[in-house]
């Protein structure tokens, strides 16, 4: 196995031994580890405390950039939709992982799989109720303002 993927799995195993969930991630550029993360939900009250997201956050803080294009994520488990989304926003274009969301279901960690199914649905069919309320006429339009400012 690739050394970076092996490191991600090692992080995941250590995290389980410390009472956490079985997820570790390593963010790599030019064959060098830039940041690492493990699932920290057992330590922090933060649902975004996933291994990949924390690795991304650490790299971005360290490098003072939102652009991680050219970086590769190595994750012990297939990224959840939240982490995958963060990778899209950051421009990460390659992910290697060991265990799939189907493997996760088998041990009782089925939320990622459920969310992947949810986001395929039409808005009205999702379990989270989403209601669009248009801007009031007298309100300043934030998007129009942004467009004006960023011409
Ligand atoms: Zn995640």
């Amino acid at each position: 196995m690739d050394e970076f993927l092996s490191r991600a799995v090692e992080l995941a195993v250590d995290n389980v031994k410390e009472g956490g969930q079985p997820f570790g991630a390593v963010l790599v550029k030019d064959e060098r580890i830039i940041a690492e993360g493990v699932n920290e939900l057992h330590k922090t009250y933060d649902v975004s405390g996933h291994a990949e997201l924390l690795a991304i956050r650490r790299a971005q803080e360290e490098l003072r950039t939102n652009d991680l294009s050219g970086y590769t994520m190595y994750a012990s488990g297939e990224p959840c939709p939240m982490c995958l989304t963060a990778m899209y926003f950051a421009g990460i274009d390659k992910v290697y992982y060991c265990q799939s969301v189907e493997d996760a279901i088998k041990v009782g960690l089925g939320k990622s799989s459920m969310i992947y199914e949810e986001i395929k649905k039409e808005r009205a069919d999702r379990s989270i109720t989403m209601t669009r309320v248009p801007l009031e006429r007298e309100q300043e339009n934030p998007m129009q303002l942004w467009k004006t400012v960023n011409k």
Side-chain angles (χ1 to χ4, degrees):
M1 184 185 289
D2 179 281
E3 64 171 304
F4 300 123
L5 209 41
S6 179
R7 173 64 183 153
V9 172
E10 181 183 56
L11 287 168
V13 168
D14 288 348
N15 201 47
V16 171
K17 290 175 181 172
E18 290 170 14
Q21 292 188 21
F23 302 106
V26 175
L27 189 58
V28 171
K29 183 161 193 198
D30 299 328
E31 297 298 307
R32 207 165 61 84
I33 294 176
I34 306 301
E36 294 181 340
V38 296
N39 185 298
E40 295 187 355
L41 265 67
H42 61 301
K43 290 185 190 163
T44 59
Y45 295 100
D46 176 6
V47 294
S48 72
H50 285 195
E52 304 93 313
L53 210 49
L54 292 175
I56 289 169
R57 193 176 291 155
R58 285 172 187 140
Q60 293 190 321
E61 282 172 1
E62 173 83 19
L63 303 164
R64 313 292 300 162
T65 181
N66 287 318
D67 179 15
L68 297 177
S69 48
Y71 286 68
T72 302
M73 184 68 75
Y74 293 81
S76 64
E78 183 175 357
C80 76
M82 174 175 67
C83 293
L84 180 64
T85 301
M87 288 186 239
Y88 275 110
F89 278 118
I92 293 168
D93 56 6
K94 203 178 280 184
V95 181
Y96 294 93
Y97 66 92
C98 287
Q99 298 186 289
S100 67
V101 292
E102 291 79 14
D103 293 328
I105 293 172
K106 291 176 195 158
V107 297
L109 295 166
K111 219 159 195 176
S112 285
S113 173
M114 181 278 281
I115 299 167
Y116 271 119
E117 292 306 313
E118 272 289 304
I119 58 180
K120 288 181 196 166
K121 296 178 185 173
E122 296 293 326
R123 286 188 188 101
D125 299 330
R126 293 179 189 151
S127 63
I128 293 179
T129 305
M130 290 177 65
T131 307
R132 177 160 190 250
V133 181
L135 290 173
E136 299 286 339
R137 198 178 289 274
E138 63 274 11
Q139 284 179 307
E140 192 167 12
N141 183 320
M143 289 188 184
Q144 277 308 125
L145 176 63
W146 183 87
K147 188 178 173 189
T148 305
V149 170
N150 290 281
K151 265 190 180 155

